[in-house]
Amino acid sequence: MKHLTFDQLPDAVVTLYEKLLSIEKMLTDLKISNNPSEKDLLNIQQASELITLAVPTLYSKVSLKEIPYIKKGKRLYFSRLELLEWINSGKKETNSEIVNGVETAFLKLHPKK
Protein backbone atom coordinates (compact mmCIF):
# COMPACT_ATOMS: atom_id res chain seq x y z
CA MET A 1 0.00 0.00 0.00
CA LYS A 2 1.41 3.35 -0.97
CA HIS A 3 1.39 6.42 1.24
CA LEU A 4 -0.91 9.22 0.15
CA THR A 5 -0.10 12.88 0.29
CA PHE A 6 -2.60 15.41 1.59
CA ASP A 7 -3.33 16.55 -1.97
CA GLN A 8 -4.18 12.98 -3.04
CA LEU A 9 -6.73 12.44 -0.24
CA PRO A 10 -9.79 13.83 -2.10
CA ASP A 11 -9.19 11.47 -5.05
CA ALA A 12 -8.62 8.57 -2.68
CA VAL A 13 -11.89 9.30 -0.84
CA VAL A 14 -13.78 9.40 -4.15
CA THR A 15 -12.25 6.08 -5.20
CA LEU A 16 -13.04 4.56 -1.82
CA TYR A 17 -16.63 5.84 -2.01
CA GLU A 18 -17.10 4.35 -5.50
CA LYS A 19 -15.76 1.00 -4.34
CA LEU A 20 -18.04 1.07 -1.31
CA LEU A 21 -21.07 1.73 -3.54
CA SER A 22 -20.01 -1.16 -5.76
CA ILE A 23 -19.74 -3.52 -2.77
CA GLU A 24 -23.10 -2.35 -1.46
CA LYS A 25 -24.71 -3.07 -4.85
CA MET A 26 -23.15 -6.55 -4.99
CA LEU A 27 -24.41 -7.35 -1.49
CA THR A 28 -27.90 -6.11 -2.35
CA ASP A 29 -27.92 -8.22 -5.54
CA LEU A 30 -26.70 -11.24 -3.58
CA LYS A 31 -29.40 -10.74 -0.94
CA ILE A 32 -32.07 -10.56 -3.63
CA SER A 33 -30.78 -13.67 -5.41
CA ASN A 34 -30.76 -15.65 -2.14
CA ASN A 35 -34.36 -14.80 -1.27
CA PRO A 36 -36.79 -17.53 -2.19
CA SER A 37 -39.07 -16.47 -4.98
CA GLU A 38 -41.66 -17.91 -7.30
CA LYS A 39 -38.83 -18.94 -9.61
CA ASP A 40 -37.57 -21.32 -6.94
CA LEU A 41 -40.86 -23.26 -6.91
CA LEU A 42 -41.05 -26.13 -9.35
CA ASN A 43 -43.94 -28.20 -10.58
CA ILE A 44 -43.63 -31.98 -10.65
CA GLN A 45 -42.30 -32.04 -14.21
CA GLN A 46 -39.59 -29.47 -13.46
CA ALA A 47 -38.65 -31.26 -10.23
CA SER A 48 -38.44 -34.53 -12.14
CA GLU A 49 -36.01 -32.96 -14.61
CA LEU A 50 -33.94 -31.31 -11.87
CA ILE A 51 -33.32 -34.46 -9.88
CA THR A 52 -33.54 -36.86 -12.85
CA LEU A 53 -36.28 -39.04 -11.43
CA ALA A 54 -39.32 -40.16 -13.38
CA VAL A 55 -42.59 -38.43 -12.48
CA PRO A 56 -44.16 -41.67 -11.16
CA THR A 57 -41.10 -42.21 -8.93
CA LEU A 58 -41.47 -38.67 -7.65
CA TYR A 59 -45.16 -39.25 -6.86
CA SER A 60 -44.15 -42.41 -5.00
CA LYS A 61 -41.56 -40.53 -2.93
CA VAL A 62 -44.15 -37.84 -2.13
CA SER A 63 -46.72 -40.42 -0.98
CA LEU A 64 -44.06 -42.03 1.25
CA LYS A 65 -43.00 -38.57 2.49
CA GLU A 66 -39.41 -39.28 1.44
CA ILE A 67 -38.94 -35.99 -0.37
CA PRO A 68 -39.74 -32.39 0.64
CA TYR A 69 -42.80 -30.98 -1.13
CA ILE A 70 -45.58 -28.42 -0.84
CA LYS A 71 -49.18 -29.33 -1.57
CA LYS A 72 -51.68 -26.61 -2.34
CA GLY A 73 -55.07 -28.00 -3.26
CA LYS A 74 -54.47 -30.73 -5.80
CA ARG A 75 -51.16 -29.29 -6.95
CA LEU A 76 -47.67 -30.31 -5.84
CA TYR A 77 -44.79 -27.86 -5.71
CA PHE A 78 -41.15 -28.37 -4.88
CA SER A 79 -38.55 -25.89 -3.67
CA ARG A 80 -35.44 -26.01 -5.83
CA LEU A 81 -33.25 -25.31 -2.79
CA GLU A 82 -34.92 -28.00 -0.65
CA LEU A 83 -34.58 -30.58 -3.44
CA LEU A 84 -30.88 -29.83 -3.83
CA GLU A 85 -30.41 -30.03 -0.05
CA TRP A 86 -32.32 -33.32 -0.03
CA ILE A 87 -29.98 -34.71 -2.68
CA ASN A 88 -26.91 -33.51 -0.79
CA SER A 89 -28.17 -35.02 2.46
CA GLY A 90 -27.57 -38.44 0.92
CA LYS A 91 -23.88 -37.73 0.36
CA LYS A 92 -21.63 -40.48 1.62
CA GLU A 93 -18.28 -39.55 3.10
CA THR A 94 -15.14 -40.76 1.39
CA ASN A 95 -12.63 -42.87 3.30
CA SER A 96 -10.29 -39.90 3.65
CA GLU A 97 -13.12 -37.73 5.06
CA ILE A 98 -13.92 -40.45 7.60
CA VAL A 99 -10.25 -40.78 8.61
CA ASN A 100 -9.90 -36.99 8.93
CA GLY A 101 -13.03 -36.86 11.09
CA VAL A 102 -11.73 -39.60 13.38
CA GLU A 103 -8.33 -37.93 13.66
CA THR A 104 -9.94 -34.58 14.48
CA ALA A 105 -12.17 -36.15 17.14
CA PHE A 106 -9.20 -38.02 18.63
CA LEU A 107 -7.09 -34.86 18.79
CA LYS A 108 -9.93 -33.02 20.56
CA LEU A 109 -10.12 -35.77 23.17
CA HIS A 110 -6.34 -36.14 23.52
CA PRO A 111 -4.68 -32.78 22.81
CA LYS A 112 -0.92 -32.74 22.36
CA LYS A 113 1.06 -31.51 25.32
Side-chain angles (χ1 to χ4, degrees):
M1 185 167 155
K2 65 178 185 174
H3 293 278
L4 299 175
T5 64
F6 184 76
D7 294 333
Q8 294 172 321
L9 281 179
D11 291 335
V13 169
V14 168
T15 303
L16 187 59
Y17 180 72
E18 289 170 352
K19 287 183 179 184
L20 183 61
L21 288 177
S22 173
I23 292 170
E24 185 178 38
K25 183 182 180 324
M26 286 189 306
L27 288 173
T28 302
D29 292 345
L30 183 62
K31 184 177 180 182
I32 290 170
S33 69
N34 283 338
N35 285 342
S37 68
E38 296 166 3
K39 295 176 189 174
D40 293 324
L41 289 180
L42 308 173
N43 62 31
I44 193 133
Q45 194 65 38
Q46 293 166 325
S48 168
E49 291 171 11
L50 176 68
I51 60 176
T52 61
L53 286 177
V55 171
T57 304
L58 207 47
Y59 276 121
S60 173
K61 292 197 173 295
V62 165
S63 69
L64 296 171
K65 297 184 183 350
E66 293 179 355
I67 193 166
Y69 67 95
I70 302 162
K71 186 168 185 181
K72 200 70 171 165
K74 293 183 177 182
R75 301 233 183 238
L76 286 175
Y77 299 98
F78 301 87
S79 163
R80 178 183 305 277
L81 180 62
E82 286 179 359
L83 286 178
L84 295 175
E85 287 173 354
W86 175 75
I87 290 170
N88 286 328
S89 71
K91 180 186 180 294
K92 303 296 182 203
E93 290 184 329
T94 64
N95 287 337
S96 62
E97 289 172 332
I98 293 169
V99 168
N100 287 340
V102 169
E103 288 174 350
T104 302
F106 181 80
L107 290 174
K108 284 183 182 177
L109 292 173
H110 307 287
K112 294 181 181 179
K113 294 181 181 180

